[in-house]
Amino acid sequence: MADTDCETTDVVICGCGPTGAMLSAYLGRMSIPHVVIEKEPEITTDPRGIALDEDGIRALQGAGIYDPIYSDIGTCMGKFKFIGGKEKVLDRKAFLEMDYSTTEGGTGHVGFICHKQPVLEKYLRNAMTSSSFCQLQINATMIDIREEGDHVYSQYRDAQGKIRNVKSRFLVGADGKTGFTRKNFMEPLGIRMEPAHQSFYDETWVALNWEILLPREKTHPDFPLWKLGYKPQEVYDIFFPREFQVHLLWRFEFVVLPGEDGQEMSNPENIEKVVYPYITHPGSKYGLMQDIAYPHDCIRVLRSRPFRFAARSCNRWSHGRVILCGDAAHVFPPFGGQGIASGFRDATSLAWRLALLCRQGPSTKLSNHEEVLSAWYIERKQQLERSLSSTIENGQFVTEGNPLKIFLRDWSLYFMHFIPSWARDLRLGRRKEGMVPYQYFPGLPFDPAYKGGTILRQVYCKPIGKSDDVFFSDDIIFGKEKKGLFQLLVYLNDVNEVNVAREVLSRIEETSKGEIPYADVTYLVGRLDMEAESLTLDVSSVYCLATTEEFAVSPLCRGRPVPEYYDPHQLAKALGGSKFVLVRPDRIVYAACDDASQLEKEVIEAVAYLGA
């Protein structure tokens, strides 16, 4: 194939699900030309994923998607209630509650939202296609991938049936666990899925989504609760407690037991046996003789199908210039809402590395792209292992069937509630696991001696001397107008330190060789009581912390809970007094330094990594 027969771009993304779309959105913000190949003609209406954790919300924010998160995309999950016992009763007393409406995890966001995946994907596509750097090809099928020299040559059939050829510097397979990239290109090269955790997990579950309609007296005149004064919404609420609701969508998953066939268990007659008892109440609860079931004709089945839930990851996530991410690289069980969020983490941490590699010529220091990509998935596998461990533990926790283990679990939780710190941790859930730093291995782009590898906490802030508008700190540090890949945050105790900090940075501006532009630097003052009128210095690019109350009345809080347990000083505590923080685009700290000499050393090393 001659190069003249090929379209040319920097990156080809195979697959436009959540992971591929997120990668595209971030590449667009970094001005990297790319083509996205998606086999489906439209966004699927099947609401597969329903949970997104705070890291995922932060990734959406970084893609320029925030306002619709709590209006169109989803709602805060609130409390997770864990109920046990053999009785099929949804409103029984929970043996454990976790409150994920709180803002305690270090991202500035709530713990989880329930989302509508088709709507989520719609906004991601809007974000990616709003960039002139993205070319989306829908209803297109990848038919060949070939790596040759410094490029990948891919071939696909477009929506009109025309065979098209693309020459790119990299190709990313984000086309799922059965997608073309891994099955047809990677597996013949020895890349395969393997158990990803020491606790082997591999089971088949039936995933069931229902859209629930409200019964009404006109449509269901014989429904017995009308005579007791119940209104349609009240009927819905007693059969489907709010903790189980997702926008009038009900999600139910159950395990396929040994000897059962997953496809048969997803049939209507078996769904009726397994699930309908949960929406049938004894008449005695209402003083009636007969049992009462929620009207079955008010239930519309959106999905009922078996899924194999496993904890698996590929032995390698890249080969040459072809890369796997999201479900193409790893698969999760459903017990932690980590599937989409992990794909988002893959995308945000891969995007800046691709941007870095695409701007380098073959003779530069970064000509060995395989080192950069292997460092990427070594990092990602560390976080993946933590998420899998937590997910599998959650699954064992909520599906335990051994009576002795259930007894020990329930009583240990009961006694833990008498120790205040343990009780608080139980109530808030595992919010700190996402903040665990990466372990350093040679070649990873951070300095562990200076807090490198930790996740930058996000706080609320406001500009000094301009207005009372409240911002997320990410939006200031990584604003679209910023030119460098790595950003420099200067965290100060007092505004009077700003001029001294600027003097220090002016001396190392030449050292950075333009990789960390002086104009990009963000200054954050760790005070909540700034009086702008008394300031005489230049306060451009200078922000101070905003209070919980200021955030609560700002547009950023519209549609979401007021921040509870939010600590405005969490960033300072995590930095441990360090003033100068070099941060990667994926919100990972490269290094946090106390003085000018340390900063200069770290800047020299960062610039060398960036290939300047």
Side-chain angles (χ1 to χ4, degrees):
M1 176 195 314
D3 284 357
T4 54
D5 298 330
C6 294
E7 304 170 49
T8 301
T9 191
D10 278 345
V11 179
V12 169
I13 301 172
C14 186
C16 194
T19 300
M22 180 63 75
L23 177 60
S24 170
Y26 272 72
L27 288 177
R29 292 173 77 88
M30 296 174 184
S31 304
I32 302 300
H34 59 283
V35 175
V36 183
I37 311 297
E38 169 54 44
K39 66 179 181 180
E40 298 296 335
E42 302 288 344
I43 295 172
T44 178
T45 58
D46 183 14
R48 294 152 292 166
I50 61 169
L52 188 66
D53 72 4
E54 59 191 291
D55 283 350
I57 301 171
R58 190 179 189 182
L60 288 174
Q61 174 201 337
I65 303 167
Y66 180 74
D67 289 344
I69 288 176
Y70 298 100
S71 56
D72 292 346
I73 293 174
T75 57
C76 176
M77 267 192 173
K79 293 180 180 178
F80 284 22
K81 293 193 174 186
F82 297 88
I83 60 175
K86 294 183 178 180
E87 299 88 354
K88 298 184 177 183
V89 180
L90 293 179
D91 60 355
R92 64 177 297 150
K93 181 177 175 57
F95 63 81
L96 175 64
E97 290 188 11
M98 294 180 179
D99 190 352
Y100 284 103
S101 65
T102 58
T103 308
E104 196 262 350
T107 66
H109 296 295
V110 299
F112 276 92
I113 61 167
C114 289
H115 67 85
K116 295 169 279 190
Q117 186 170 336
V119 181
L120 171 70
E121 292 192 39
K122 180 191 77 172
Y123 279 100
L124 276 171
R125 289 207 185 174
N126 290 344
M128 55 186 277
T129 55
S130 66
S131 164
S132 60
F133 296 96
C134 171
Q135 181 189 149
L136 174 62
Q137 295 285 345
I138 60 172
N139 199 18
T141 306
M142 187 69 72
I143 55 179
D144 187 50
I145 298 171
R146 174 172 60 87
E147 187 177 3
E148 185 176 303
D150 293 330
H151 294 90
V152 180
Y153 294 86
S154 49
Q155 192 175 73
Y156 69 94
R157 182 177 290 104
D158 68 14
Q160 288 72 45
K162 179 182 177 182
I163 302 297
R164 301 178 66 170
N165 302 300
V166 185
K167 173 187 174 183
S168 60
R169 300 186 67 174
F170 297 93
L171 183 142
V172 180
D175 45 353
K177 59 187 178 181
T178 60
F180 182 91
T181 309
R182 195 186 79 239
K183 290 290 186 183
N184 293 72
F185 182 81
M186 293 295 215
E187 288 187 359
L189 297 172
I191 293 178
R192 60 191 181 279
M193 281 281 192
E194 298 176 336
H197 191 267
Q198 58 186 1
S199 300
F200 181 76
Y201 184 89
D202 196 334
E203 288 185 328
T204 298
W205 287 63
V206 171
L208 174 71
N209 285 351
W210 282 349
E211 182 182 21
I212 311 298
L213 306 176
L214 297 182
R216 302 188 183 279
E217 289 192 59
K218 287 185 178 179
T219 58
H220 297 79
D222 297 328
F223 189 66
L225 293 186
W226 306 138
K227 296 179 181 179
L228 300 180
Y230 282 86
K231 304 298 182 185
Q233 186 63 50
E234 292 173 330
V235 170
Y236 176 75
D237 289 340
I238 62 173
F239 278 92
F240 300 93
R242 292 196 178 275
E243 293 79 10
F244 293 87
Q245 299 175 17
V246 189
H247 310 287
L248 294 185
L249 169 70
W250 200 54
R251 178 67 164 257
F252 197 96
E253 294 170 345
F254 61 89
V255 69
V256 176
L257 300 175
E260 294 178 338
D261 177 82
Q263 196 62 52
E264 288 183 4
M265 293 305 296
S266 65
N267 292 338
E269 58 270 20
N270 284 314
I271 293 298
E272 185 171 342
K273 293 176 184 177
V274 174
V275 181
Y276 279 25
Y278 286 94
I279 55 171
T280 302
H281 291 181
S284 58
K285 181 176 180 177
Y286 308 97
L288 301 173
M289 296 295 294
Q290 75 278 17
D291 292 344
I292 303 172
Y294 195 85
H296 295 178
D297 58 352
C298 288
I299 297 170
R300 185 164 73 92
V301 178
L302 302 178
R303 171 216 264 186
S304 180
R305 54 178 291 195
F307 280 88
R308 182 184 175 192
F309 289 137
R312 295 183 296 152
S313 172
C314 284
N315 53 335
R316 286 183 293 141
W317 294 11
S318 69
H319 183 282
R321 294 177 176 271
V322 181
I323 307 153
L324 299 173
C325 67
D327 286 353
H330 48 77
V331 291
F332 270 82
F335 307 113
Q338 290 298 305
I340 291 178
S342 288
F344 282 1
R345 294 185 192 103
D346 291 350
T348 56
S349 59
L350 178 60
W352 71 265
R353 288 170 164 96
L354 288 175
L356 177 62
L357 291 169
C358 286
R359 71 180 189 174
Q360 304 295 331
S363 62
T364 63
K365 296 176 183 178
L366 276 176
S367 58
N368 191 345
H369 54 275
E370 293 194 20
E371 290 183 6
V372 175
L373 295 175
S374 64
W376 162 69
Y377 68 74
I378 286 171
E379 276 189 2
R380 288 294 305 122
K381 281 193 171 188
Q382 291 185 49
Q383 192 282 324
L384 186 79
E385 180 70 18
R386 289 197 296 270
S387 293
L388 280 171
S389 177
S390 176
T391 297
I392 292 171
E393 205 171 305
N394 286 344
Q396 293 170 340
F397 185 78
V398 301
T399 60
E400 183 58 66
N402 185 295
L404 177 59
K405 291 183 179 180
I406 291 173
F407 175 82
L408 294 173
R409 177 199 67 191
D410 292 356
W411 277 100
S412 63
L413 289 171
Y414 174 78
F415 285 114
M416 287 173 72
H417 281 87
F418 290 101
I419 302 174
S421 61
W422 291 5
R424 183 179 183 276
D425 288 345
L426 280 175
R427 182 168 180 78
L428 295 179
R430 296 179 170 180
R431 303 292 295 279
K432 301 290 188 179
E433 288 186 355
M435 296 288 132
V436 177
Y438 285 127
Q439 181 182 353
Y440 182 76
F441 292 93
L444 299 191
F446 59 82
D447 189 340
Y450 294 100
K451 299 181 176 62
T454 60
I455 296 180
L456 185 74
R457 270 63 172 176
Q458 176 164 234
V459 293
Y460 312 140
C461 60
K462 58 183 182 179
I464 294 177
K466 290 184 179 179
S467 71
D468 291 329
D469 291 340
V470 176
F471 298 89
F472 288 111
S473 56
D474 280 4
D475 294 341
I476 303 303
I477 299 167
F478 303 99
K480 289 188 73 172
E481 73 284 356
K482 300 295 180 76
K483 293 180 171 54
L485 273 182
F486 285 13
Q487 292 298 321
L488 181 58
L489 167 67
V490 181
Y491 193 98
L492 304 171
N493 294 320
D494 193 278
V495 73
N496 296 314
E497 301 174 32
V498 170
N499 280 343
V500 175
R502 283 179 172 154
E503 205 173 295
V504 169
L505 297 182
S506 68
R507 294 199 297 269
I508 68 164
E509 185 174 11
E510 187 175 342
T511 305
S512 75
K513 300 181 179 180
E515 288 293 340
I516 304 165
Y518 184 77
D520 281 2
V521 177
T522 301
Y523 300 85
L524 182 60
V525 179
R527 293 272 299 277
L528 294 164
D529 56 352
M530 297 300 303
E531 293 292 338
E533 294 80 5
S534 65
L535 300 176
T536 57
L537 75 163
D538 176 14
V539 291
S540 58
S541 301
V542 182
Y543 296 78
C544 66
L545 297 179
T547 65
T548 299
E549 293 73 22
E550 288 170 326
F551 181 86
V553 297
S554 77
L556 295 178
C557 199
R558 189 178 298 130
R560 58 156 282 176
V562 171
E564 189 178 0
Y565 299 113
Y566 167 72
D567 179 4
H569 300 291
Q570 61 183 324
L571 175 56
K573 293 173 183 176
L575 294 176
S578 299
K579 293 181 180 179
F580 305 104
V581 191
L582 276 171
V583 192
R584 299 172 359 188
D586 53 356
R587 287 43 171 172
I588 299 296
V589 173
Y590 180 88
C593 312
D594 298 323
D595 57 42
S597 61
Q598 289 178 357
L599 176 61
E600 186 169 15
K601 169 182 172 291
E602 295 300 330
V603 167
I604 290 172
E605 291 181 1
V607 168
Y609 179 81
L610 294 171

